[in-house]
Amino acid sequence: MEFKEERHDREYPDHACGRLIKDVAIDSIEPLTFREACNKIIHANKFLATFIKSGEVKIFCNEMEPMHHEMRLFGEHFGKEWRAELDVLAFLRATTENFDLF
């Protein structure tokens, strides 16, 4: 993203692609930007896929249930536990906008 800005004088898109709870103790919710999603993917210590069972989104299901497009990522930053709810489809859309060929 910095390369695109420096090299091509073009700012990268930083669309929201989920929700971020920076401190699960106080449940403060904010948009999960593309840049922050990249950081959370790198630094997460736990990943949970979501599944669709009987029309409801569930975290734990058997392997045969269809996957939902959200993943939950967990980690810690400066002693505070965080949780990110990553919308995988929105993340892929933002990725293509950030790494397009021109």
Side-chain angles (χ1 to χ4, degrees):
M1 290 180 282
E2 285 85 7
F3 175 79
K4 182 180 276 188
E5 189 172 6
E6 290 172 15
R7 184 83 159 182
H8 303 287
D9 194 31
R10 180 175 166 193
E11 287 190 30
Y12 57 89
D14 204 15
H15 306 296
C17 47
R19 300 178 342 148
L20 174 63
I21 297 96
K22 283 188 170 182
D23 185 351
V24 296
I26 60 173
D27 204 28
S28 59
I29 299 171
E30 60 185 61
L32 178 66
T33 64
F34 176 74
R35 182 182 188 84
E36 191 66 27
C38 292
N39 288 327
K40 295 307 181 202
I41 291 168
I42 292 168
H43 296 290
N45 55 32
K46 182 178 177 184
F47 295 84
L48 290 176
T50 57
F51 299 86
I52 301 173
K53 183 173 183 172
S54 302
E56 289 186 51
V57 176
K58 305 278 186 181
I59 293 177
F60 299 105
C61 284
N62 72 45
E63 295 176 9
M64 301 310 290
E65 302 297 338
M67 286 190 75
H68 188 251
H69 60 86
E70 183 180 279
M71 291 204 64
R72 307 236 171 119
L73 297 80
F74 302 85
E76 187 179 312
H77 184 65
F78 292 118
K80 295 178 183 176
E81 291 184 23
W82 55 263
R83 181 177 85 222
E85 298 170 355
L86 177 68
D87 181 328
V88 176
L89 298 177
F91 180 77
L92 290 173
R93 280 191 281 278
T95 300
T96 59
E97 288 185 39
N98 278 289
F99 302 104
D100 60 345
L101 300 173
F102 45 87

